[in-house]
Amino acid sequence: MRLVTLTSAMRIAAQHPALLAWYVENRFRATRAAVERSRRPEFSPGPQYVTLKPTLRCNLRCGFCRFVANGDVFGGRDWMDIEDWERVIDEVAPYRPYLCLTGGEPLMYPELPRLLARIRACGLRCVLTTNGTLLERRAAELAAEPPDMLILSIDGPEAVHDSVRGKAGAFTRALAGIEALRSKAGRRMPILVLNTALTEATWQSAQDMAAVARRFGAEVLNFQHFWFLTREMVNRHNSHWGDCFPLNYERIGGTSTMVEHPDALWELVRRLNDGSLGIPVMVYPELNREQIHRYYGEPEAFTHSGTPMCAWTSTDVLPNGDVSPCFELTCGNLLEQSFGEIWNGDAFRAHRRRLTDAGPYPVCARCCAFFRRD
């Protein structure tokens, strides 16, 4: 595995030399944020990354998606004018975060190329996550203003992927989109990461993803344990924080998932990590056998201890301008206040104070942000 990873890392560094500095900078900023938090628990000098959601709409109706469950993909909370988004980017630029463009399906946002152009003009790094089905028609626009990294959500070989996505031809359209983008972008082609969620419908075909990754020309293959929110998590959360940070199970798109064979899943994870796939593989979060049993068998139990760093390092910006660091928590709106005023404003500082004093919320247990340490 080390030889495969080292060889691939050298190739990626040669093609995208700025990424090495980007990685080192992120590691340094993560360490600095932890030190700063210990000194001033309610304050953060600035975000390490900001997730921009220009739209929550999506052209697919995936069965596991909480935004399908709560109806956001059908429209609503859409969208700020492009001039407002450009101002947002200008306001966050002095903090030098990297930006994650997602949704919904971000390729449904008509002004996406202009948004990417503003990010590039400000000298910021950008990661774009997409289902790929609209890539072919927008390839020329993206090739002109490409993100630094493209994360393509592919759930398995063609039959598995189309079944999970609920759309015949979704796999073929994503592949055609990548081929179109590569032909137009040339040397400006973003680093391509294939991301596969491990669910009951997908984990048994995970080893076939190496061949899929080669077919797409991906440099990295990422497997992600499924994130879920059970009703019990929400009930526990509301019993502690319902007065200041209430959550509604239906509104946040609560879901639950169980893997019936956790030992078999653990053996799969071991095989994915042994280097035999011939491509750099990441499995996130990293869980041992005992933790996998707990993750799926005891959904409300934490597999790791510690305070989530997300409140000090990141936030989401929603289509209507809301700044939301955690589920339905809104700390301000960018149509009414500047990003700087919100980032260390009363609501954001109260959020950090709760996490500092009481530890993670019950809903943190299966949230991706709880595990992030970049």
Side-chain angles (χ1 to χ4, degrees):
M1 176 62 178
R2 290 179 180 176
L3 179 59
V4 172
T5 302
L6 178 61
T7 301
S8 298
M10 291 175 63
R11 183 180 69 251
I12 293 172
Q15 295 173 345
H16 309 273
L19 285 181
L20 181 59
W22 184 18
Y23 172 79
V24 172
E25 179 184 2
N26 285 337
R27 298 304 302 169
F28 172 77
R29 293 190 65 182
T31 302
R32 189 182 69 173
V35 172
E36 184 66 42
R37 189 188 71 184
S38 67
R39 293 174 178 170
R40 305 172 67 186
E42 297 178 18
F43 175 83
S44 170
Q48 185 177 338
Y49 61 96
V50 177
T51 298
L52 307 181
K53 297 184 175 183
T55 181
L56 296 179
R57 302 179 192 184
C58 187
N59 60 323
L60 298 182
R61 302 291 183 262
C62 306
F64 59 79
C65 179
R66 71 184 187 91
F67 299 113
V68 172
N70 68 15
D72 277 345
V73 298
F74 301 103
R77 294 202 283 187
D78 277 6
W79 43 56
M80 283 197 296
D81 293 336
I82 182 59
E83 291 80 8
D84 291 315
W85 277 111
E86 290 176 327
R87 178 178 50 78
V88 170
I89 294 168
D90 292 344
E91 290 180 2
V92 304
Y95 299 105
R96 312 310 299 166
Y98 71 88
L99 303 180
C100 304
L101 279 171
T102 181
E105 171 50 54
L107 292 181
M108 292 190 73
Y109 182 59
E111 297 287 356
L112 183 63
R114 187 166 160 181
L115 195 60
L116 287 165
R118 191 57 157 246
I119 293 170
R120 183 174 294 277
C122 288
L124 301 178
R125 300 288 176 191
C126 179
V127 177
L128 175 67
T129 299
T130 177
N131 63 42
T133 56
L134 303 177
L135 267 176
E136 188 172 18
R137 72 172 69 166
R138 307 205 69 176
E141 298 171 294
L142 285 182
E145 298 290 350
D148 296 278
M149 184 179 294
L150 188 67
I151 300 179
L152 182 65
S153 299
I154 299 293
D155 299 299
E158 185 169 354
V160 173
H161 179 76
D162 286 0
S163 174
V164 169
R165 295 283 159 171
K167 185 74 171 180
F171 183 97
T172 300
R173 289 172 64 186
L175 181 59
I178 289 297
E179 291 171 345
L181 180 60
R182 183 171 284 111
S183 69
K184 295 180 184 301
R187 294 180 61 85
R188 302 183 75 194
M189 178 69 185
I191 288 180
L192 179 59
V193 177
L194 251 58
N195 185 71
T196 299
L198 294 173
T199 68
E200 192 63 44
T202 66
W203 72 269
Q204 295 186 64
S205 62
Q207 283 193 286
D208 299 327
M209 285 302 297
V212 174
R214 285 190 287 271
R215 190 173 175 187
F216 278 85
E219 284 111 330
V220 179
L221 184 53
N222 184 67
F223 294 96
Q224 181 176 287
H225 287 285
F226 186 68
W227 313 115
F228 52 96
L229 286 161
T230 67
R231 193 175 293 276
E232 178 61 23
M233 285 180 198
V234 175
N235 290 341
R236 290 184 185 182
H237 175 91
N238 285 334
S239 70
H240 286 87
W241 307 112
D243 58 334
C244 58
F245 177 16
L247 291 176
N248 179 282
Y249 179 79
E250 284 73 25
R251 173 57 234 152
I252 62 176
T255 57
S256 61
T257 184
M258 296 292 144
V259 171
E260 296 180 0
H261 308 288
D263 285 321
L265 179 60
W266 162 244
E267 292 301 327
L268 168 69
V269 169
R270 289 183 60 187
R271 292 194 298 273
L272 294 176
N273 281 321
D274 69 8
S276 61
L277 295 188
I279 183 173
V281 171
M282 296 182 292
V283 181
Y284 177 71
E286 295 182 6
L287 303 173
N288 59 31
R289 184 194 294 268
E290 179 184 349
Q291 290 167 338
I292 284 178
H293 273 267
R294 186 178 305 125
Y295 190 95
Y296 292 100
E298 304 173 58
E300 293 80 31
F302 281 82
T303 62
H304 296 73
S305 61
T307 302
M309 286 295 297
C310 50
W312 287 264
T313 60
S314 67
T315 191
D316 290 359
V317 179
L318 302 182
N320 64 347
D322 281 348
V323 175
S324 177
C326 183
F327 295 107
E328 293 291 291
L329 178 64
T330 299
C331 290
N333 187 280
L334 290 164
L335 297 177
E336 301 168 358
Q337 296 172 279
S338 71
F339 185 87
E341 290 171 329
I342 297 171
W343 180 251
N344 280 305
D346 291 344
F348 225 126
R349 294 178 70 166
H351 173 52
R352 297 183 187 121
R353 185 165 57 249
R354 290 192 292 269
L355 292 170
T356 298
D357 293 345
Y361 301 122
V363 291
C364 293
R366 299 296 180 268
C367 174
C368 61
F370 175 73
F371 295 91
R372 288 191 71 160
R373 292 295 184 270
D374 53 333

